[in-house]
Amino acid sequence: MDRKDLLALATVAVILLIVFPALLDGFRLNLVGKYLTYAFVAVGLVLCWGYGGILSLGQGVFFALGGYGMAMYLKLEASSVENTKIQSTPGIPDFMDWNQITELPLFWQPFHSFPLTLILIVLAPALFAFVIGSAMFKRRVSGVYFAIITQALAAIATILIIGQQGYTGGVNGITDLRTLHGWDIRTDQAKFILYFVNAALLLGVVVAAMFVRDSKLGRILVAMRDKEDRVRFSGYSVANFQIFVFCLAGVFAAIGGAMFTLQVGFMSPSLVGIVPSIEMVIFTAVGGRLSILGAIYGTLAVNFAKTSLSESFPELWLLGLGGLFIAVVAVFPNGLAGLWRDYAQPFIDKALKLRSVDPADPGAEVAKQAAAAAE
C-alpha cells in the first residue's frame, strides 16, 4: 500500500476504534456494530463486482450461512438439558420441540464444537460459492444472467429456511441466544467488546482485500472485467479467477453474518432474501464500487439514513433507497469515493503542497506564487 492508502486506512481505524466509541452511547454503538457487519459484504462486492465485473445479487445467502452457523452454535449452548428440562425432549432447541422433533438433526451435530463452528463458517460458504461458481463460470455464464441466477438463489434460500421451520426456526429465525462459552453476550459490556472485535475483523478483511487488489491477481481481475476474451486468449483461466474472487466475497459475507449474530443476538430469513441482497449492492455502489474503504463509508451512510428516515417516513424509505441508487448510477457512478477523489482530494493536495513550503524560508513566498502560477 502507498502512503495515501495507509493514511486512509488509519483514518478509518481511528473513526471505528476511537471516535465512535468515544461519542456514541451503548445503543448507538451497537447499532453501528450492526452496520459494520454489512460492510463485510460490501468489501467483498468491491472485489467481486467492482474489480472482477461479477455482479452478485445473492450475497445475502452467504451472509446467512455465516449467521446461521454462529446462531446454531449459540442456540445449542442455550439449549442444554438444564435449560430445556420443561420441554418434551430436553437438550434440543425449543422450536424443534414445538415441531415434534425428538432428536437433534445430524447437520446440527458439528455445531456443538466452537472451533468446528468457526471452520464451517468459512468453509461452508466457500464450498457453496465454489459449486455455484464452477457451474456458472465454467460454462461462461456471466453478466446479467449470473446476477439473475444469484437473485433466484437468494429467493430459494429464503423459501427453504421458512419452509423447514422445525430445523431452522422458520420465519422467526433462531432467537434467544444467550451465551458464548458461558459469557453472556446480552450485556452492555459484551456488546461493547463485540463491537471492537467486529471492527478489528473488518479492518483485517479490508487489509486482505487491499492485498488482493494490489497484487497481480487484482490486475488480472481488472483485465477480465474490461477485456475478458483477451485475458482468455493470453492463456489465463478466466473461470478459475472468477471462481476464486466469488468464493472470497462469499467468505467475507459469511464472516459478517457470524458477527451480525453475535452483535444483534438473532438470525432470521429476513436477512437472506432478494431485498437485503440488493441493499448490500446499493451499499457498495454508494460508497464506490472501486473503493474498498468507500464500501465502509457507503454502508454506514446508507444505514444511518435508513435508520433516521425510516423512523419518520417509513412508507417512503424504500422509494428513497431506489432513488438513491438511481442517483448513484446517473449522477455520481463512482459513489462517495469518486466525489472525494474528484473534488475533496485535489483541494487537500493543493493545501498540503502549499503548506509544505517553510514559512521561515526567504523564498517561501516566491515558491507559493510559482506553485500558484504553475497550476
Side-chain angles (χ1 to χ4, degrees):
M1 291 185 289
D2 57 24
R3 189 174 66 176
K4 285 186 177 180
D5 283 338
L6 289 174
L7 181 59
L9 181 61
T11 301
V12 172
V14 169
I15 293 173
L16 298 184
L17 300 177
I18 298 177
V19 176
F20 282 160
L23 298 181
L24 301 177
D25 57 31
F27 173 76
R28 294 294 176 183
L29 189 65
N30 188 50
L31 202 60
V32 172
K34 184 181 80 169
Y35 300 160
L36 292 180
T37 62
Y38 301 141
F40 285 86
V41 188
V43 170
L45 279 170
V46 169
L47 292 179
C48 186
W49 176 35
Y51 286 91
I54 304 167
L55 176 57
S56 172
L57 297 180
Q59 291 303 100
V61 176
F62 303 104
F63 190 82
L65 285 173
Y68 269 95
M70 182 59 71
M72 289 163 74
Y73 171 79
L74 298 176
K75 190 63 177 178
L76 288 178
E77 186 170 330
S79 303
S80 63
V81 176
E82 294 78 11
N83 293 335
T84 58
K85 57 185 177 182
I86 64 172
Q87 295 180 179
S88 301
T89 306
I92 64 173
D94 47 13
F95 58 82
M96 293 185 184
D97 189 64
W98 300 337
N99 287 275
Q100 288 82 47
I101 295 177
T102 59
E103 186 178 359
L104 191 69
L106 184 63
F107 71 91
W108 274 73
Q109 296 290 348
F111 295 95
H112 279 294
S113 169
F114 185 62
L116 189 54
T117 298
L118 295 180
I119 293 174
L120 289 174
I121 285 172
V122 175
L123 187 60
L127 182 60
F128 182 70
F130 178 79
V131 172
I132 299 300
S134 298
M136 296 296 105
F137 299 132
K138 292 292 185 181
R139 291 168 175 79
R140 300 189 184 182
V141 177
S142 59
V144 66
Y145 302 104
F146 181 81
I148 292 173
I149 290 172
T150 54
Q151 192 174 54
L153 288 174
I156 293 170
T158 304
I159 295 170
L160 182 64
I161 292 172
I162 294 175
Q164 299 297 318
Q165 181 172 333
Y167 301 103
T168 63
V171 69
N172 295 320
I174 301 179
T175 59
D176 193 26
L177 308 178
R178 306 173 187 175
T179 60
L180 176 66
H181 273 304
W183 178 50
D184 192 343
I185 61 173
R186 299 169 296 178
T187 64
D188 292 339
Q189 182 183 14
K191 298 294 185 185
F192 188 74
I193 294 173
L194 286 171
Y195 170 82
F196 283 97
V197 174
N198 189 18
L201 282 174
L202 179 59
L203 292 174
V205 165
V206 166
V207 171
M210 287 182 169
F211 175 79
V212 171
R213 179 199 64 187
D214 296 335
S215 66
K216 182 180 179 181
L217 172 60
R219 294 191 290 274
I220 293 176
L221 290 177
V222 173
M224 289 191 315
R225 180 195 67 196
D226 297 336
K227 296 289 182 180
E228 181 178 322
D229 289 336
R230 189 168 184 176
V231 174
R232 184 177 289 110
F233 296 151
S234 298
Y236 291 99
S237 176
V238 171
N240 288 341
F241 288 109
Q242 291 174 324
I243 292 169
F244 173 80
V245 74
F246 184 55
C247 290
L248 185 62
V251 170
F252 286 173
I255 296 173
M259 290 309 304
F260 177 91
T261 299
L262 288 172
Q263 193 79 48
V264 181
F266 75 94
M267 191 65 195
S268 77
S270 63
L271 299 157
V272 182
I274 295 174
V275 173
S277 296
I278 293 177
E279 285 185 350
M280 293 168 185
V281 173
I282 293 176
F283 302 157
T284 308
V286 171
R289 66 188 184 101
L290 293 176
S291 174
I292 293 171
L293 295 177
I296 300 176
Y297 292 119
T299 302
L300 292 175
V302 174
N303 280 281
F304 272 128
K306 180 179 180 180
T307 300
S308 303
L309 297 179
S310 61
E311 293 174 355
S312 304
F313 310 101
E315 300 87 358
L316 300 179
W317 163 244
L318 286 178
L319 295 176
L321 188 64
L324 178 63
F325 187 62
I326 293 173
V328 169
V329 174
V331 181
F332 50 106
N334 293 320
L336 297 176
L339 293 177
W340 174 270
R341 184 186 65 247
D342 295 338
Y343 298 101
Q345 192 65 52
F347 177 80
I348 294 175
D349 290 343
K350 181 179 179 180
L352 292 177
K353 186 177 181 180
L354 293 178
R355 290 178 183 175
S356 65
V357 180
D358 184 5
D361 186 355
E365 189 62 31
V366 176
K368 288 184 181 179
Q369 293 176 0
E375 294 186 9

